[in-house]
Structure formats: C-alpha cells, structure tokens
Amino acid sequence: MTWRGSRALRLPLVHPRFVPVYALGGMLVLVSLATRIVLLLRPDVLPGVSAANLFQVFAFGLLFDLAAAAYFTLPWVLYLALVPERVARSRAHAWLLAAGFVACTYALMVVSVAEWVFWDEFGARFNFIAVDYLVYTHEVVGNIWESYPVGQWLAMLALPALLLWLPLRRRLDAGLAAPATLRARAGAALALLALPALALVLLHTDMKDLSASDAVNELSGNGIYEFFAANHNNELSYPRFYATLPAEKAMSTARELVGGPDVRWIGGGPDGVHREVFNPVPDKNLNVVLVSIESLGAEFLGTFGNTEGLTPNLDALAAESLSFTQVYATGNRTVRGMEALALSLPPTPGQSIVKRPGNEELFTLGSIFEDRGYDTSFLYGGYGYF
C-alpha cells in the first residue's frame, strides 16, 4: 500500500498510517453488530420485534456504532498523527501497537459480554444504572465476581481477540511502514477528528426512540455510546425503569394509607397529602437512634415472619417499641434507601438527591428533630461518597 500510488488513498480521511484506526473502528462496528444480533435473538426480545422494526434496529444501530467508533478511535488518531515516522517504522513500535490493538479488541469483547449480562438483568443497554454501579467498583466487582465465572470468561475472551488480530497484522505493519510526512498525517488526522465532532453535534440518544417497544429502541443504540451519554446527561427514564400508577390512583392510594378516620386535610381538594396531625400526649423528648443496615430486608427479621432467628436483638427491640410496619425504603441502591428514610421521597431518575447540588436545607427527618430542639448527627461506617 503506497500513499502516492492510488487515487483512492488521496482522500483526506485515508492514509496508510491510520490503518489501525480504520481496523479498530471496523472491529467496533463488527462486534457491536454481532452483539445487537445476539440480543435481538433472545427469546424474550425476538417475539416483540416486527419486520418493520428491523430497519430501525439496524439502520440507527449502524449510525450509533459509527459514532461510537469515532469516539473510541480518537486517542489512536492523535497518537498516530504525532508519533515520528522513524519511531512508527520500528519493529518495537509495531509490536507495541499490536499489543494495544489486541487489548482494545479484547475490551470490546468484554463489553459485549457485559452487555448481555446487563440486558439479562435490566432489559436495556448500558444506562445510568451501569454508571451508578461502576462508581462503586469495589462493591459491584465483588458481587459480580461471586455471581459469575468471571475468571473463565476473561480468559476465554482473549482467544477471539487474538484471532481477530492475526489476519490484520500484516496490513497494520504495512501501514506503519509506509512513508508519512507530518503534513499528510496532520491532514488525515484533522479529517478523522471531524467525525466525533459531527457525531457530538448531530446525534443524541433520543433519536432512536421511535418505537413503542423499549426493546426495539434499546437495540437501536450502542452500549458504549449509551454509557457515556448517560454519564454526561445524568438521566434515567423513571417510567421506563420504575413501576407507576395513574396519578389519580396513586394519590387516592397515598391518601388512604396516610389518612385516618378523623383526618383533617389541608387545602380541601382531592390532591396532596398535607394534613393536620394532632397528638394530645406531650412530647417525651427521648433520644432517638435510627439504625440503617445495608441489604437487611424485612424477610430476614423475625418480627416480619422469619423463623431462622437471624436478628434476635432487633426482634426484641421491635417487640418493646413503637413499630412502623408500612415504611418502605424504595430504590435499587443504598443511597435511594437513604433518600426514602430521610426525605420520604421515591427514587429520582438519574443521580441521587444526596449527590446533587443545592440539596441543603431540605425538609428531612433531621430537620423535624432540629425544630424540636434536638442535636442531630449522621454516622456512617464507610466511604462518605458511597
């Protein structure tokens, strides 16, 4: 392959030096296409996808795969444009680049398998749930390692990564060995760098949400693209991932649960749960300790019917205390349970209120105690950010 010997190679985007970029971008598109087909053929997905949906799935899927490839190869474009020709032609550099190429291909394989596991759990591509989980790598990785044969999977995925590199190794070496002036490299690099810029301006994840089927819309995306978009947008669709009721039914149920035989509603209308609560007994001003225990569901407590005797001290306290049996800590993360306990709020889409700016001076359980003269404090035996 020679730069001056072919008219096709005079296009700004095409330069022998960047053969690894083209190969790696093509590899991402190939692996993404295979992942999309495998997910499509799942028995819980395929029956809900019509022939008319297939155009959306594969046309938009290719569009987002290409955008993901443009972002994924961006560091390679910059590196290959800047590395001197003498270094690029060296044998050591060829082996270094081959190792990087195999590593990136291996990463794509790992992501593909991870997408299958994530879909199996959530019926979706990577989204803010995946972002939220990866923030707490220590906890989540330990859980995944215990739940799946991770070591075997990681070892097995090395084989296809190597097999995909072998037929390309001579082309990669030839591209590095071809003459490449700084001016020619810079021109091709600028053209390649325009691709992620165009994707940033023209594409957004909502473009693929054309179908009434969540599975079709999810298959039309790209997992890597979706992950970084979720991290940037800090959003998660509440109706998509949480069970909901019609607003009228939800309000009626809430008023029924919090009301009583002589409830006095504030406002008089059918909306809202603001009410007057009167207790003729004077406040006792006792010390109050709220103990929150990670992953301790009601099914483990004897006071809720468990017969294994796992929580004798908590069961004894419950028998001697004012016990609230209709208090629910909602959400799929520890921090969501903290929101429920402290704020009496359902889980919010995207980032938790605990980690959002402007969350000071909210109406919380602690503020109620402070209004009654209590000193409040929060003690946690772990990482504060978690």
Side-chain angles (χ1 to χ4, degrees):
M1 181 183 293
T2 59
W3 174 247
R4 295 180 180 179
S6 172
R7 292 183 179 179
L9 294 180
R10 293 177 185 175
L11 294 173
L13 282 172
V14 182
H15 191 290
R17 170 63 66 84
F18 297 96
V19 167
V21 172
Y22 314 139
L24 194 58
M27 198 69 67
L28 186 148
V29 173
L30 177 65
V31 173
S32 298
L33 175 61
T35 303
R36 182 172 295 107
I37 293 173
V38 171
L39 292 175
L40 174 64
L41 295 177
R42 286 177 59 101
D44 58 322
V45 174
L46 186 58
V49 179
S50 67
N53 295 141
L54 293 179
F55 176 79
Q56 176 189 341
V57 168
F58 288 102
F60 278 86
L62 177 60
L63 193 62
F64 281 98
D65 291 347
L66 291 172
Y71 291 123
F72 188 71
T73 57
L74 193 150
W76 285 71
V77 173
L78 293 174
Y79 173 75
L80 291 172
L82 297 175
V83 65
E85 189 171 356
R86 178 177 57 85
V87 175
R89 290 183 171 188
S90 69
R91 196 61 192 162
H93 182 264
W95 280 109
L96 178 65
L97 203 76
F101 186 89
V102 172
C104 287
T105 305
Y106 178 75
L108 293 176
M109 298 292 171
V110 172
V111 169
S112 180
V113 173
E115 283 212 70
W116 171 274
V117 175
F118 190 82
W119 188 291
D120 202 43
E121 185 73 22
F122 298 103
R125 295 281 196 171
F126 292 146
N127 52 34
F128 190 81
I129 297 174
V131 176
D132 204 23
Y133 277 15
L134 286 183
V135 170
Y136 312 109
T137 307
H138 176 72
E139 293 82 1
V140 176
V141 169
N143 190 359
I144 293 174
W145 193 271
E146 294 176 358
S147 304
Y148 300 95
V150 178
Q152 298 177 24
W153 288 2
L154 293 178
M156 291 171 58
L157 290 174
L159 181 60
L162 286 170
L163 292 177
L164 288 171
W165 165 74
L166 284 174
L168 297 172
R169 67 187 189 281
R170 291 185 179 179
R171 289 177 178 257
L172 298 177
D173 292 345
L176 293 175
T181 65
L182 178 59
R183 179 178 179 181
R185 300 198 311 264
L190 287 175
L192 288 169
L193 292 175
L195 298 179
L198 286 174
L200 184 64
V201 173
L202 301 178
L203 283 184
H204 55 84
T205 54
D206 293 340
M207 290 175 59
K208 62 182 177 56
D209 296 337
L210 302 176
S211 171
S213 168
D214 290 326
V216 171
N217 292 333
E218 293 293 333
L219 288 171
S220 303
N222 176 281
I224 297 175
Y225 187 99
E226 300 279 335
F227 178 86
F228 286 97
N231 183 56
H232 176 266
N233 297 330
N234 192 26
E235 291 179 351
L236 185 69
S237 171
Y238 191 97
R240 169 77 172 81
F241 290 96
Y242 295 97
T244 59
L245 293 172
E248 298 79 7
K249 174 65 175 177
M251 184 56 63
S252 173
T253 302
R255 288 169 69 95
E256 181 180 340
L257 289 173
V258 303
D262 57 348
V263 62
R264 287 174 286 182
W265 299 106
I266 299 175
D271 298 329
V273 292
H274 292 88
R275 63 204 183 279
E276 294 181 5
V277 179
F278 176 72
N279 185 1
V281 179
D283 292 349
K284 294 184 179 180
N285 295 322
L286 302 175
N287 293 328
V288 178
V289 179
L290 176 63
V291 181
S292 305
I293 303 177
E294 171 75 23
S295 300
L296 181 61
E299 65 271 19
F300 299 113
L301 278 71
T303 188
F304 287 101
N306 186 284
T307 58
E308 300 177 65
L310 303 175
T311 55
N313 293 326
L314 288 176
D315 296 335
L317 286 172
E320 300 172 0
S321 306
L322 178 63
S323 181
F324 299 93
T325 60
Q326 296 190 63
V327 177
Y328 299 91
T330 56
N332 59 356
R333 299 288 301 162
T334 302
V335 71
R336 305 299 187 176
M338 293 169 61
E339 283 182 355
L341 291 172
L343 295 164
S344 296
L345 288 180
T348 53
Q351 191 68 280
S352 164
I353 289 178
V354 175
K355 299 175 184 176
R356 294 193 182 200
N359 61 4
E360 302 84 4
E361 305 299 329
L362 296 176
F363 183 76
T364 66
L365 183 62
S367 68
I368 296 174
F369 278 106
E370 285 183 339
D371 292 343
R372 294 178 176 272
Y374 278 75
D375 293 325
T376 62
S377 60
F378 178 83
L379 307 177
Y380 176 64
Y383 294 106
Y385 185 75
F386 177 75

